[in-house]
Amino acid sequence: MAGTITRVSSCARDLARTGLKAAGTALSWSTCLAPIAQRLERTNFHGRTVSLRGGVGAAAGAVTAGIEAGRLLRGRTGSSSRAGLAATIAAGAGGCAGLVDDLDAGAHDGDTPAKGLKGHLTALAHGRVTTGALKIAVIGSGALIGGVLLARHRSAGTGARPLASSAVDAASSAVVIAAWANLLNLLDLRPGRALKTACIVSTPLLATPGRDGEPTRMLAAGTLGVSLAALPEDLLENTMLGDTGANAVGALLGTALACHPHAAVRAGAALSGVSLILASEKVSLSRVISETPVLAALDGLGRRP
């Protein structure tokens, strides 16, 4: 009994440490960039001037969460430190690709800016490389590397698996990571929306049971820490996530979902992420949210009038 209590206490401390480190990094980066962030200023949908420094801070926090999770998991549960490495690479790829897109601000998109996944792929088919297409390549590559690492992590826990089984596992994990990185970016059209989504999805992951669920709990704690740290200024419209923050936090959350020990959860995460992305090509997610009373109330909670 005493050993169990000690182990639970240690796990709780590690979750708190990961979340607090991620939150502290996000806040410190955002604050330090404030005096020199003129180039990061943008006009939001209300016509207010906001800064993308919050997104840079969130991306730094997401990468820190992956690093810290990997450090704490190393040696405790064997190969589970690969989950931390997967999150670090995926969040870093999302943040870097998003920053390029944010700084470019559509300058290389041509006379007709490409919109959505279909728009960027269509432009690429016509020989025009947009920053959105670059994002697809970079985030996709980071997600694929993360997927391979997670598949190897699960293989180490279950013994040798057929190559085809490992390949399917790696590909499906990559889909989860890339889909959620993109989905949070699609939701970042109103203050606080993407960060609230990250909080809502990551909170129940903290209760993932068992030793195999430790990587998911750790990465969920990091996601929650970053999101809660960035949320106040995002809601006040002092800062915004932009592609930099939304892609990085989404990739971190996607990795937490992709390393979940239960295949049904991973499948649900893949299906929901891909379905919402495809739906956004046909209908406006903002309109769906505004026309659904419960979602509209949650969406507007804490937002500046």
Side-chain angles (χ1 to χ4, degrees):
M1 175 67 85
T4 301
I5 293 174
T6 301
R7 187 166 58 252
V8 170
S9 177
S10 175
C11 289
R13 282 198 304 270
D14 286 346
L15 292 182
R17 187 176 301 158
T18 303
L20 288 173
K21 270 203 172 184
T25 301
L27 287 174
S28 61
W29 273 68
S30 179
T31 302
C32 290
L33 285 172
I36 57 172
Q38 291 83 4
R39 192 180 176 189
L40 296 177
E41 290 183 347
R42 297 290 186 272
T43 301
N44 72 356
F45 80 110
H46 273 151
R48 293 176 177 138
T49 299
V50 297
S51 175
L52 288 165
R53 62 181 173 83
V56 176
V63 172
T64 297
I67 294 172
E68 184 65 10
R71 186 184 72 82
L72 292 172
L73 290 167
R74 189 176 300 118
R76 177 187 298 174
T77 52
S79 63
S80 63
S81 61
R82 287 176 179 149
L85 180 58
T88 303
I89 293 172
C96 289
L99 184 60
V100 170
D101 201 19
D102 283 336
L103 294 178
D104 183 78
H108 291 84
D109 283 0
D111 296 331
T112 306
K115 298 292 183 181
L117 182 64
K118 181 180 178 181
H120 291 295
L121 292 178
T122 300
L124 186 62
H126 287 85
R128 185 158 54 93
V129 180
T130 64
T131 52
L134 177 65
K135 272 179 42 177
I136 293 171
V138 173
I139 293 174
S141 297
L144 183 57
I145 293 171
V148 170
L149 287 168
L150 293 180
R152 290 186 64 190
H153 156 59
R154 278 188 281 271
S155 293
T158 59
R161 293 191 299 176
L163 180 60
S165 177
S166 294
V168 170
D169 189 359
S172 60
S173 296
V175 168
V176 175
I177 297 170
W180 280 86
N182 189 25
L183 180 59
L184 247 63
N185 189 34
L186 290 175
L187 291 172
D188 189 40
L189 296 177
R190 296 293 184 272
R193 181 181 292 171
L195 291 170
K196 287 176 185 176
T197 302
C199 289
I200 291 169
V201 176
S202 62
T203 298
L205 294 179
L206 295 174
T208 304
R211 184 177 291 272
D212 289 344
E214 195 166 17
T216 291
R217 294 195 297 270
M218 204 81 75
L219 297 179
T223 303
L224 190 60
V226 170
S227 301
L228 290 176
L231 188 57
E233 280 206 297
D234 201 75
L235 286 172
L236 290 172
E237 298 182 45
N238 295 326
T239 65
M240 64 184 291
L241 285 181
D243 289 14
T244 308
N247 286 145
V249 175
L252 177 64
L253 177 58
T255 309
L257 290 164
C259 68
H260 198 283
H262 296 303
V265 174
R266 301 197 299 270
L271 182 61
S272 59
V274 172
S275 297
L276 287 170
I277 290 169
L278 294 177
S280 72
E281 298 285 333
K282 300 293 184 180
V283 299
S284 167
L285 295 182
S286 291
R287 189 179 68 188
V288 172
I289 291 170
S290 65
E291 292 177 352
T292 307
V294 174
L295 294 179
L298 181 60
D299 190 44
L301 186 65
R303 187 176 295 162
R304 182 177 173 180

